[in-house]
Amino acid sequence: MAIITLTTDLGYKDFYQAALKGSILSTLPDVNIIDITHEIQAFNISRAAFILKNCFSYFPKNTVHLIGIDTVYSEHNKYIAVKYRDHYFVGSDNGIFSLIFEEQPQEIVEINIMQDLKFLHFPLADIFVKAACHLAAGGALKEIGIPTDSVEERMSLHPIVEPDQIKGSVIFIDSFQNVITNITKDLFIKVQQGRKFNLSFRRNETINQLSWHYNEVPEGEKLCLFGISNHLEIAINKGNASGLLGLNINDIVRIDFQ
């Protein structure tokens, strides 16, 4: 069965999400629609990219991922469809793809499907749906767009690395209030070289050992680990790390190696 996933900032209170799903089912009745999330803050490209980057590979190949973030068309915000690691993505070329992809996609087209004027202010239910359903039904990218070789670049903050230190920042806080940083496992291992470390952040809090699981420390105690995203997380066992430790998006964390 064909699969289309949805990642949007439409929320759950209004009719927009239902209209989007209805449009998909009217175009491709047998498709399997999977909600990744509709709770992205309006226009928060970075958060949407992080979520989709860390879950799309769990879906079967040829899944179509429809991204409904910042979809109002403009000269500098075109619509594209992309094949990457045998998955398809449909969305605005607003920089989000550069945050998701780690290498050059297999194929990219600028979508040239004609806009239906009655959907002028809701292109998600028109152009995006037509493109996603075409791909989900087995259609070719070249049939819905003009080939191109690049996507809009969007800069992301990278850790500052020195021989004995990594200085990173908070990039994501999940619904459990676990704090996820931009320090990857590969970078940590590369700089650590087997040495002891000291992780420090706001309020003079420190952690000096990695955990494998959240419950390796007593309830209410803080810990750090590399979670499913392979990024360094700061957490509290059955607690609210972000609130209790005062950590927010863009806050600085530092690892000193000894």
Side-chain angles (χ1 to χ4, degrees), residues 16 23 37 83 88 96 98 100 105 108 119 136 138-139 214 225 248:
Y16 306 117
S23 183
T37 182
K83 185 177 183 181
Y88 292 97
I96 191 168
S98 67
I100 297 172
I108 311 169
F119 292 104
Y214 297 102
L225 51 67
N248 299 296

Side-chain angles (χ1 to χ4, degrees), residues 159-231:
I160 298 172
V161 180
E162 298 180 1
D164 299 319
Q165 184 183 91
I166 301 175
K167 187 177 292 185
S169 60
V170 177
I171 59 171
F172 192 85
I173 297 171
D174 69 17
S175 58
F176 295 97
Q177 297 294 292
N178 298 319
V179 176
I180 302 176
T181 75
N182 62 350
I183 301 171
T184 65
K185 185 176 183 179
D186 287 344
L187 176 62
F188 180 90
I189 292 173
K190 180 180 178 180
V191 180
Q192 183 192 25
Q193 297 181 351
R195 295 178 291 175
K196 294 181 180 179
F197 72 92
N198 192 64
L199 169 64
S200 58
F201 42 93
R202 293 185 65 176
R203 301 179 182 174
N204 296 318
E205 296 280 356
T206 61
I207 302 173
N208 57 21
Q209 67 179 36
L210 284 170
S211 296
W212 286 98
H213 305 287
Y214 297 102
N215 60 4
E216 281 189 19
V217 300
E219 289 188 17
E221 291 295 320
K222 62 184 181 291
L223 66 136
C224 68
L225 51 67
F226 287 101
I228 190 173
S229 69
N230 272 329
H231 284 245

Side-chain angles (χ1 to χ4, degrees), residues 6 14-15 29 38 52 61 69 80 105 116 120 124 126 131 144 150 163 179 194 202 207 213 230 232 234 244 250:
L6 305 178
D14 301 312
F15 59 86
H38 297 283
L52 191 51
K61 290 183 178 180
I69 309 292
I80 62 173
D116 188 329
L120 185 61
L124 264 178
D126 180 34
I144 58 170
S150 63
V179 176
R202 293 185 65 176
I207 302 173
H213 305 287
N230 272 329
L232 185 69
I234 299 169
L244 293 175
N250 296 325

